[in-house]
Amino acid sequence: MSADALSVGPLATGRLVAAFRGELDADGALSQGEVNIRMRTAEAGGVRFDSTDVAVTLEAPDYHLRVESLVDERRTVRLTGRFDPGSRGGALEAFDLGVDSDRWTLQSPAQFSLGAAPRVDEIILASGPQRIEVRGGIDPRGDQDLVVALQSFRVESIADLVGWATLGGTIDAGLDLSGPAADPVSAWTIAADLLDDGKAIGTLAGTGTAAAGILRVEAGVSEPDGASVVTLNGTLPFSLTLPDSSFSGGAMEVPDGPVDVTFVADAFDLTWLAPFVESPSVSAPGGHIVADLHAGGTAQDPDLSGRMRLDGGRLGLPPLGLELSEARIAAVLLDDRVRVDTLDVRSGDGRASGSGSVVLERILSPVLDLALQLDAFEGIDNELAEATLDGDVTVTGAPFAPVVEGTLDVLESEMNLDAEFASSDVSRVELTEDDLRMLESKFGIVVGGEAPRAGLYEASDLKLRVVLGRDTWARQRSNPEMALQFSGELEVEKRTGAPPEVNGSLTAIPGRSYIRQFGRRFQVSSGEVVFSGPLTRARVDLTADYAVPS
């Protein structure tokens, strides 16, 4: 059989070819068989495989598995194993993973079971000084004895798979899970020497335990010279329950209970975060944070104290064509809130400033209450549009689902209709695997993948009055060439998860607006764009005159 595409649960494939051969015993049951599958592309768990060959052979009662996969230009995988569906047990007999010049191999066959209490006797993978060890298991109705350890693990082996393409270095880490499923005990350690694009950025070290309803953490970040710049220490109430035998119903939460957490930053350089946050949407974080913060009280009624300051903050927003810079934030923690006394950032030749508070009704549930003033603030500067704004807005609600209200005055703006409505004179092209990887790594576009999750804009709630001054233009330099000057006022509303609705009108300004077509210039004498709800209902009415030369 063959298929151009196939989706089964978490697995999605491109071109697939499969062949099956089998033999039945006297009772009509399958006693021997063989399945061979070749997949041109496959995706599972967010990892894309360029090509994969799978062979499954039945020698009752065991199924024997062989997999060979070219994951991408950096990685190859080969493994063999066997599985008995009756006992839900088997063995990983051989495993070979190539990552760049590293060659990971399974040190000895590993027995495993996938029943109600999955476990593995011992898996040891090694590549030179690097080691990964996993042993023990999880019992949703009994005691746990799971141990995981990493030794000298090269971060760049997997960093690009989670969007951290420039992150490198080595990690030593361990996790130990024990105790009953209803109240397990966990302990972890981590020590990482990190690089960004080959340059040392410092170390991350930490230890933690979760037991008897309390999470204890001691963690810190140090610069390459060893100077400590960030420390986080303290305890939080914490509850972890493992799922039942159906692997549903597990939970990890912060219940009510005493809180005692201290965070100290000594001129922490935010460029340290670059490899973790840079993406097609965000680039070049920077600035320095000084902070001495403490959270006490309880999770349901926190008692905050301390001060925090950001100087020289910067952040790029490539989709908007913006570089935010010279950011300053000064905040004081008091009782159950963070009082923001200073909030100031530059964009273009203008600035946004503000103040307000962030209320922590619960320790992990902040509520915003901020007021912002825009003064010639550059709001967008990309190939689609440019705009400079004045205005007063408030931002309230949850950080990841904010409510934004206020008035925006568009001082000057220009929309590029050539980019907005690109020419339809295009040709169909077939994307190669390299093209698909480039789209995913550079722009976050996964062709044929799952629909993207709702982002900040989709979750936001907007109610804005937008006033467009006379220096508002829509231009098109391709045929028909046009330059339309507008002014007007719009009411923009958008509910969480819904498309925006716009009401109001824009009026064309005669005298300066024109349309050039058929070698003639038509002067716009009147015009109006009327909005009455969804943007698809916008109505355009333009009148343009051509004066015949005498």
Side-chain angles (χ1 to χ4, degrees), residues 105-172:
T105 57
L106 182 68
Q107 299 302 287
S108 61
Q111 305 292 321
F112 64 85
S113 63
L114 300 178
R119 66 178 298 107
V120 60
D121 287 347
E122 186 173 54
I123 291 179
I124 301 177
L125 299 174
S127 175
Q130 303 180 85
R131 290 173 71 88
I132 300 175
E133 298 184 21
V134 181
R135 64 178 182 273
I138 296 175
D139 187 348
R141 294 183 175 178
D143 288 336
Q144 320 312 308
D145 64 341
L146 179 64
V147 177
V148 180
L150 301 180
Q151 179 179 323
S152 301
F153 182 77
R154 285 202 320 126
V155 178
E156 49 267 47
S157 298
I158 61 169
D160 60 318
L161 299 178
V162 294
W164 300 340
T166 63
L167 185 65
T170 60
I171 289 181
D172 290 277

Side-chain angles (χ1 to χ4, degrees), residues 204-252:
L204 169 67
T207 62
T209 61
I214 296 176
L215 173 65
R216 301 179 185 275
V217 177
E218 294 185 6
V221 173
S222 300
E223 293 181 338
D225 62 4
S228 176
V229 290
V230 171
T231 58
L232 174 67
N233 299 289
T235 60
L236 281 169
F238 181 79
S239 176
L240 172 64
T241 58
L242 297 179
D244 60 23
S245 59
S246 65
F247 288 89
S248 63
M252 182 171 62

Side-chain angles (χ1 to χ4, degrees), residues 426-474:
V426 297
S427 302
R428 180 180 177 86
V429 297
E430 185 75 19
L431 296 179
T432 67
E433 294 303 318
D434 288 340
D435 295 331
L436 296 174
R437 280 195 297 269
M438 183 273 291
L439 284 173
E440 183 172 356
S441 63
K442 299 295 186 184
F443 302 102
I445 299 172
V446 181
V447 178
E450 298 180 358
R453 297 179 181 179
L456 183 62
Y457 171 74
E458 289 79 5
S460 64
D461 192 313
L462 308 178
K463 187 173 183 179
L464 297 170
R465 174 174 169 261
V466 181
V467 180
L468 293 93
R470 293 175 62 88
D471 198 4
T472 300
W473 291 86

